[in-house]
Amino acid sequence: MGLNILVVDDSATVRAVIRKTLALAQVPVDALHEAGNGREALAVLDGQAVDLVFTDINMPEMDGIELIEAMDARGLLPQMPVAIVSTEGSATRIAQLTARGATAYVRKPFTPEQLRTVVGQLMEGVQ
Amino acid sequence: MQTAHRAMLTRIVTQVFEDLAFMFVDPADGPPESADGQWLEVRMAFDGPDRGRLALAAPVGLCREAAGNILGIDPEATGACDRASDALKELLNVICGHVVCELFGTEPIIRLGIPAIAELDDEALRLCLSDPDRLGFSVDDRHLAIALQIDAGQSPR
């Protein structure tokens, strides 16, 4: 059985790359939902079954930090793993996001192997 | 631009274009002999121990090829054409993330702006390519130019 994954990034190119990379990594996916910012992501989470979220940090309207906080407020964390996919490399930022509920971090640019490893770790943590 | 920053930026630009867009760029000896066609420029600000901004300019054809490479599709395909500006924004986004880590280390939290893209008119392009503070790169027979500005000591501490 595949995963229902939500990819949140204001770049349509990045969303397409993650979709392609998950396929190359042979991650089983039942449904892949996309959102361009945190607000759109919350709308998806309200209406769709989602097992795992990949989110960027820096987005207009509602950024990744605000999204994680909103997911926590809705009781979605920690059972729904959230992986940050970002260009930022601040250890302080990563620690901050982890404290708020993020469960993994992938730095851009990433390889299929990195994404597969992260998905495996996240789903093991859920089980 | 300081010499150390030029070296750092050269290293990061070549690495990001190679890793993300599978394009091998080389430092250019000077501005291109001709700059025909439409050019795009993406700008992005950062705010940390110092404030600054990056600007990356490239011809649309190069952006389209980068998009095609990133997406794994024909650069002439509709998808690549549609994503040309988005690809340039993402390239600068990744470059910026690595630049601020080099400048400030991995401890401080750096606020990154949202990349903003615009088409360069002839005058803006002329100024861009003649700017001595811009670093030029070439890939095949095409050119791109990047600038880094740091407002040292401007950020509230």
Side-chain angles (χ1 to χ4, degrees):
Chain A
M1 196 162 71
L3 298 168
N4 298 306
I5 297 177
L6 171 59
V7 177
V8 192
D9 198 302
D10 57 326
S11 167
T13 301
V14 171
R15 298 197 302 268
V17 168
I18 291 176
R19 186 189 319 122
K20 188 184 93 169
T21 307
L22 288 170
L24 284 171
Q26 297 182 309
V27 172
V29 176
D30 269 357
L32 195 140
H33 306 285
E34 298 186 19
N37 55 59
R39 204 173 310 282
E40 290 179 12
L42 289 175
V44 172
L45 291 168
D46 280 344
Q48 305 290 335
V50 173
D51 301 308
L52 166 60
V53 177
F54 287 102
T55 182
D56 190 9
I57 298 174
N58 198 27
M59 297 180 288
E61 291 195 41
M62 179 185 274
D63 64 24
I65 300 168
E66 293 166 328
L67 170 61
I68 289 172
E69 290 174 342
M71 289 176 66
D72 192 26
R74 291 177 184 211
L76 295 174
L77 305 179
Q79 62 270 27
M80 185 180 296
V82 178
I84 302 296
V85 183
S86 175
T87 182
E88 291 197 29
S90 165
T92 306
R93 174 76 88 192
I94 294 167
Q96 179 189 70
L97 290 165
T98 303
R100 279 174 164 78
T103 33
Y105 177 78
V106 180
R107 194 171 187 200
K108 296 176 183 174
F110 46 84
T111 64
E113 291 73 25
Q114 287 172 315
L115 221 57
R116 184 173 53 219
T117 298
V118 164
V119 172
Q121 289 171 346
L122 291 176
M123 298 321 296
E124 268 182 31
V126 169
Q127 289 160 11
Chain B
M1 197 188 308
Q2 298 176 27
T3 303
H5 289 166
R6 285 179 174 267
M8 176 263 292
L9 198 53
T10 297
R11 177 168 41 83
I12 290 174
V13 168
T14 53
Q15 197 64 51
V16 170
F17 267 80
E18 183 179 330
D19 289 347
L20 184 59
F22 310 106
M23 299 174 85
F24 297 95
V25 303
D26 297 304
D29 293 329
E33 291 179 2
S34 65
D36 296 329
Q38 185 184 351
W39 279 62
L40 300 174
E41 183 183 62
V42 58
R43 291 175 172 260
M44 187 169 173
F46 55 84
D47 190 355
D50 291 314
R51 287 178 183 155
R53 63 208 59 80
L54 282 156
L56 175 64
V60 168
L62 190 152
C63 301
R64 195 181 303 131
E65 182 177 339
N69 290 352
I70 292 169
L71 295 168
I73 60 177
D74 186 335
E76 299 304 317
T78 304
C81 297
D82 291 344
R83 300 272 183 261
S85 57
D86 200 41
L88 191 67
K89 286 162 67 177
E90 185 59 20
L91 281 162
L92 185 63
N93 184 37
V94 176
I95 289 168
C96 189
H98 286 78
V99 165
V100 297
C101 270
E102 291 267 353
L103 288 174
F104 309 123
T106 59
E107 288 308 312
I109 290 177
I110 315 297
R111 286 189 298 275
L112 300 181
I114 303 294
I117 198 156
E119 187 178 326
L120 292 178
D121 60 26
D122 290 344
E123 179 61 14
L125 179 57
R126 186 191 67 77
L127 290 171
C128 168
L129 296 180
S130 62
D131 182 354
D133 265 349
R134 291 245 181 185
L135 286 187
F137 296 85
S138 61
V139 50
D140 297 329
D141 58 351
R142 287 159 305 177
H143 196 94
L144 59 98
I146 190 165
L148 167 65
Q149 285 180 295
I150 300 173
D151 307 328
Q154 293 299 307
S155 250
R157 293 176 193 269

